[in-house]
């Protein structure tokens, strides 16, 4: 193993998920310091480029959530600086970040994903909101799940049980993005399966079952400890567990991801696994799902993070 003398953990940024990213960054930095690895925690601000140029790190661990951290742009910048980093390459990030595109890719790889439609805000203005909303309900039925086509932490996402609720759900969605993904809502067990690469081989960690208050795993339920119940490993049949873990690895490979990812799935009552979305920069906070899975797998978070750094250092 190469000695890691200068590691930068990149967190913060200016997205809606800034505070979560800062918490993730502190957790990763603390886990690495516990292994006596020198770590500098840096924000993605106007001083970053000069800092990386004047004192190039051995490797960067990005834990930026939201647009810049997950759409490939910050990784493009690191590439321009020729700085190695943990995680997916920019092109793969762009595909995974756009939820309709990611759904199309994994569908072609053989995964099930809820029937859906992706519509920009302008279409409602041009064609008439009432007509478009009526057609969505006629075509997809109820209930529905509405979320921005890009974004994370369930910001702007909501379940629609009645047709009368759809208009408000769209307004809430458009507060966080210019396009909406409207999916047929699948009843079942919500699980998250994290994938980490060990010696270049994608390996699924134990599935985490999410039991949110009122059945809604929103921003508050994700990051305020105490309200949401997490069951690890998830209470699935052996067959459903195998399907869920295989789906996460399939999504990781099909989307061309690298080092780590987290795939969100619904397992319906008949045991079928439905892909919802994938995250290329999973949360690392005290309530996040990847650290829970690492712990249940009897792995050390610091060791996992160090191994990902080692895989990318030159």
């Amino acid at each position: 193993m190469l000695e890691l003398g200068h590691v930068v953990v990149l967190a913060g940024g200016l997205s809606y998920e800034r505070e979560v990213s800062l918490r993730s960054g502190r957790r990763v930095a603390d886990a690495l310091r516990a292994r006596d690895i020198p770590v500098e925690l840096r924000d993605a601000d106007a001083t970053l480029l000069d800092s990386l140029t004047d004192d190039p790190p051995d490797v960067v661990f990005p834990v930026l959530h939201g647009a810049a951290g997950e759409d490939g742009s910050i990784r493009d910048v690191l590439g321009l600086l020729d700085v190695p980093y943990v995680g997916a390459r920019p092109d793969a990030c762009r595909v995974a970040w756009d939820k309709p595109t990611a759904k199309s890719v994994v569908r072609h790889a053989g995964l099930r994903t809820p029937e859906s439609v992706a519509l920009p805000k302008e279409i409602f203005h041009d064609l008439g909101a009432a007509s478009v909303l009526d057609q969505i309900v006629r075509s997809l039925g109820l209930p529905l799940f509405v979320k921005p086509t890009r974004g994370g932490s369930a910001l702007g996402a909501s379940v629609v049980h009645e047709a009368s609720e759809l208009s408000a759900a769209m307004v809430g969605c458009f507060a966080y993005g210019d396009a909406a993904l409207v999916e047929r809502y699948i009843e079942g067990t919500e699980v998250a399966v994290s994938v980490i690469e060990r010696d270049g081989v994608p390996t699924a960690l134990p599935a985490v079952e999410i039991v949110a208050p009122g059945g809604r795993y929103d921003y508050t339920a994700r990051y305020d400890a105490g309200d949401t119940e997490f069951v690890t490993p998830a209470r699935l049949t052996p067959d459903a567990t195998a399907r869920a873990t295989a789906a996460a690895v399939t999504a990781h490979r099909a989307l061309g991801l690298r080092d780590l990812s987290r795939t969100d799935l619904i397992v319906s009552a008949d045991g079928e696994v439905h892909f919802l979305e994938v995250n290329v920069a999973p949360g690392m906070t005290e309530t996040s799902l990847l650290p829970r899975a690492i712990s249940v797998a009897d792995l050390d978070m610091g060791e996992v993070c160090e191994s990902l750094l080692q895989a990318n250092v030159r």
Side-chain angles (χ1 to χ4, degrees), residues 221-292:
R222 286 169 187 254
Y223 301 116
D224 285 353
D227 291 334
T228 301
E229 180 185 2
F230 301 96
V231 183
T232 315
R235 295 168 294 189
L236 302 174
T237 65
D239 182 61
T241 296
R243 287 171 182 258
T245 55
V249 172
T250 295
H252 184 92
R253 285 181 167 144
L255 292 163
L257 304 182
R258 190 182 70 141
D259 291 334
L260 74 168
S261 66
R262 193 199 72 231
T263 295
D264 297 337
L265 308 159
I266 291 287
V267 182
S268 54
D270 60 3
E272 290 294 340
V273 175
H274 303 261
F275 171 92
L276 298 179
E277 59 188 79
V278 69
N279 191 312
V280 302
M284 296 288 194
T285 74
E286 64 280 0
T287 60
S288 294
L289 306 176
L290 175 56
R292 289 177 183 275

Side-chain angles (χ1 to χ4, degrees), residues 27-59:
R27 186 111 188 261
V28 170
D30 289 344
L32 291 170
R33 287 171 182 147
R35 296 182 65 81
D36 297 322
I37 296 172
V39 176
E40 180 184 6
L41 186 59
R42 296 282 314 180
D43 204 335
D45 57 23
T47 68
L48 179 64
L49 295 188
D50 287 343
S51 171
L52 295 179
T53 302
D54 295 341
D55 186 15
D58 297 324
V59 61

Side-chain angles (χ1 to χ4, degrees), residues 200-222:
V201 178
T203 303
L205 298 177
V208 180
E209 178 183 347
I210 302 149
V211 185
R216 183 173 180 185
Y217 189 43
D218 58 12
Y219 183 91
T220 300
R222 286 169 187 254

